[in-house]
Structure formats: C-alpha cells, structure tokens
Amino acid sequence: LILTIIMCKAMNKTMAKLLFKEAKKSAKKSVGEQKEPKAVSVEDAYRILEAARNVCVIPGYGMAVAQAQHAVKELCDKLEANGAEVSFAIHPVAGRMPGHMNVLLAEANVPYEQLKTADEMNGQMSNVDVAIVIGANDVVNQDAVNDESSPLYGMPIVHAYEAKTVFVLKRGRGTGFSGLENPLFTNDNTVMLYGDAKQTVSSLVA
C-alpha cells in the first residue's frame, strides 16, 4: 500500500483514479496518419553515438528483464573515453517499484553523480545529442504532456522526445505496462533498435 501511494504521487494520480476511473479509459488510435517506427542497425547506431558529445540513458523495466545494467555501464565507459558526457534520467516509477533502476545501476557501479531525476534532466534534454531509452515505455510517453484525452495525461515523464536523436531499445513492438501506444516511437528524431537490450548494448560496445 505504501509503495502504491508513492507511485501514485510520482504519476500525479490519486488512488481512486488509478483503481477505478483509469480502468474504464482506452487509448484512442488515430485513423488518419499512422507512422511506422524506423528501425536501424547496430552499425548505424554506433556511427551516431561515435559523434555524440552529450548522451542520456533512460532505463526502464526492460533493462531489468534483460539484466543489461553491466553492459550499459560498459557502453557508458566507452562513450566517456570517446569524449562524451553521460548521464542517466531516472523516473521514480521506472521498473516495478520506486528506486528499482537506482539499485540496478548501483550494482553495476554507475557513479551516483551520473544519476539524475527526471526533473533535473528535463531542463537539459534539448542539449542531449542522443537519448537512449532502454526498455522504458510509459515514463517517456509524450501523450502525458500533449494529449489531454490520454489516461497518462498529467503524469510527469522524462522528456526524451526533446533530445536531438532518440534510440529506443525494445524487444519487440509491444506496448508498455499501461497498454498504451507511445507516439515517441514514430517521431522523426527517433530510431528503434529491436532485440534483447543486453545483446544490443553489448553489440554497440563491441
């Protein structure tokens, strides 16, 4: 109950809304323009990352499932050795409980000073060359900001869509925990890297 209350506060929702109202809503799909996400190869993603000077990693539950945190740390070390500044944008409800991502990244020896809250990183996101979304969905869903009809509207999110380029690492084309489509995935500045997050990140490192 305490964890649920904490998560409701982080999502800017009341318990009553979460339990009763939101369950009745369904996501609207636009019949008109329906874009397809753009997939890229690991080689193409590497070339973009090689030129990046400011990189932000946005982890989610998919990173935990793939146990990719050590590979992510290795990638960050490579990026820093190449002259890039690396930070992590941690949403309070990313994962399955508050602090889930912090624990995983601490286990991988990611320096604490690199871990930023969503609020801290959102003000800087427009200066980020590449935002790497790893297994996160709802916490980067821009409908929470732009679409008043969305059940997520009003929930604080990480503004990944403001970065110059967004990499989204996903196992497949499925939706997140909420079951809602994420328009971030079809933005012009977003490219998809499909597959197991640990394997994808390890390939980038290689």
Side-chain angles (χ1 to χ4, degrees), residues 35-76:
K35 293 183 181 177
E36 281 292 317
K38 300 184 295 288
V40 296
S41 66
V42 169
E43 290 76 14
D44 289 338
Y46 158 76
R47 292 187 185 95
I48 296 170
L49 276 179
E50 189 181 32
R53 287 297 165 260
N54 191 326
V55 177
C56 177
V57 179
I58 305 166
Y61 185 61
M63 186 184 79
V65 171
Q67 297 183 339
Q69 61 269 26
H70 294 283
V72 169
K73 172 64 166 74
E74 196 175 353
L75 176 62
C76 292

Side-chain angles (χ1 to χ4, degrees), residues 3 25 41 55 57-58 70-71 79 81 95 98-100 107 110 127-128 143 145-146 158 184 203:
L3 286 175
K25 291 186 179 179
S41 66
V55 177
V57 179
I58 305 166
H70 294 283
L79 288 167
H100 192 178
E107 176 192 313
V110 172
N127 297 321
V128 170
D143 277 350
V145 176
N146 301 326
V158 180
L184 171 71
S203 297

